Amino acid sequence: MKKAIVLGATGGVGAPLTVELVKRGVQTVAFGRSSTKLNELAEQLDHSPLLTLEIGDAFKPEDILRAGEGADVIFHSANIPYHEMESRLLPLGESVMTAAEKLGAKVVVVDGIYPYGRRLMEKATEDHPKKPHTRKGKVRLAYEQLLFSSCWHKAKPLIVRLPDYYGPSAQASYLSVTMEAIAAGKPTAFIGNMSVPREYVYLPDAARMIVEIATREESYGQNWHIPGPGVISGHELVRIAQQAAGKRKTVMPLGRIGLSLIGLFNPVMKEVVEMLYLTEEPLVLSGEKYERLIGPIQWTPHEQAITATMRSLMGKGAREAEDAKGSAAMI
């Protein structure tokens, strides 16, 4: 890999991917819509000479072409809000693949587990049947079919599938609101049953595994799983987070009825209801293929990863409070 472009570079997955690529000495283009967020990412990387910032719209293939000139790999981690997924996911995929086709580039697409539908294996391998029963699962399956369509002759895609996740950069995961509130010492909610152990992956670990897969020519044209280091219940996760934060406020489980009520006013939360089955009958990913073809998986233990996430969130909160004081003093 000589040069890569990361679409959605300031997002939850895109930011650690960009960090991982630069750390490995890859010339990297961070592509996003917000110059403020791109500059924050550059600052995080000490303005590395390997990093280039490009503002653009991933729905416009000409923007990706301009920004990605000379890139041999496109990391596609741009995402769509829940309530817009059905109408906008396929146009986004079409745009990325059109640009990749013209560049003759490989494409690493970051996706989730929705196309599988309900769990049919104790640990889901990449051969798990794809029988989605939800609207979002069906559109995600159509997305995979678009990416692997025979109409693309020069673009070479692969898909990496992640379970739910957390980490300092996470913004739109089920855990984001919970962890941010615990870091701020506020009461909060937890989506789903807190007693049912579920799978989560720490985003810096996921980024490392994704780049390992992307560097191998034979990886393309396939699905790959990025599993977490075992399941963990909501109660245990919250306990570790509160211990790291040194603050303990109420955390209430948020189920179907509560989400439906909030959904009357919040379109994103309304869409979460459809996916609650994954919090009741969790689907756990197998890492057997990764370990057989790539190598041993090195995870950060949950306790260490959750603690690092909380410290990062608390540091960010403290910086924002200082900035707010500074702004108020100038008025």
Side-chain angles (χ1 to χ4, degrees), residues 16 66 69 79 98 132 154 184 204 224:
R66 168 186 52 76
E69 185 178 0
N79 210 344
T98 297
K154 296 179 180 177
W224 292 86

Side-chain angles (χ1 to χ4, degrees), residues 11-14 16-17 162-171 173 201-210 309:
V13 180
L17 267 177
L162 278 63
D164 206 352
Y165 51 74
Y166 63 85
S169 62
Q171 299 168 23
S173 78
V201 68
Y202 182 48
L203 284 174
D205 290 348
R208 187 172 62 250
M209 285 188 264
I210 292 169
T309 300

Side-chain angles (χ1 to χ4, degrees), residues 238-252:
V238 166
R239 182 193 67 76
I240 298 170
Q242 289 180 331
Q243 184 175 357
K247 302 166 185 173
R248 188 179 178 85
K249 296 290 184 178
T250 302
V251 178
M252 295 287 293

Side-chain angles (χ1 to χ4, degrees), residues 52-201:
T52 304
L53 307 181
E54 289 284 353
I55 298 171
D57 184 348
F59 283 91
K60 296 178 179 176
E62 61 272 22
D63 282 9
I64 302 172
L65 274 171
R66 168 186 52 76
E69 185 178 0
D72 50 345
V73 183
I74 298 173
F75 287 84
H76 173 24
S77 57
N79 210 344
I80 301 290
Y82 254 21
H83 62 296
E84 298 177 356
M85 194 181 292
E86 284 185 276
S87 61
R88 303 187 72 199
L89 183 65
L90 296 183
L92 177 61
E94 183 86 29
S95 172
V96 174
M97 290 303 292
T98 297
E101 182 77 0
K102 291 183 179 177
L103 287 168
K106 302 183 184 78
V107 189
V108 178
V109 179
V110 180
D111 203 359
I113 57 178
Y114 295 173
Y116 291 129
R118 297 191 185 281
R119 180 184 64 204
L120 298 175
M121 294 178 172
E122 184 176 349
K123 280 198 172 185
T125 69
E126 286 81 352
D127 295 323
H128 188 289
K130 294 190 174 81
K131 295 182 177 179
H133 59 286
T134 61
R135 290 177 288 107
K136 285 184 277 296
K138 289 173 183 173
V139 77
R140 287 285 177 184
L141 181 55
Y143 183 54
E144 174 183 305
Q145 292 163 349
L146 166 69
L147 297 170
F148 287 143
S149 167
S150 60
C151 72
W152 313 115
H153 302 291
K154 296 179 180 177
K156 294 181 181 177
L158 67 80
I159 299 175
V160 290
R161 298 198 178 280
L162 278 63
D164 206 352
Y165 51 74
Y166 63 85
S169 62
Q171 299 168 23
S173 78
Y174 281 15
L175 281 180
S176 299
V177 172
T178 305
M179 287 191 150
E180 287 169 7
I182 292 174
K186 298 177 180 176
T188 186
F190 180 94
I191 294 176
N193 188 322
M194 294 182 69
S195 299
V196 177
R198 289 149 59 181
E199 183 178 40
Y200 302 92
V201 68

Side-chain angles (χ1 to χ4, degrees), residues 321-331:
E322 284 299 316
D323 290 345
K325 281 183 185 176
S327 299
M330 293 174 66
I331 295 174

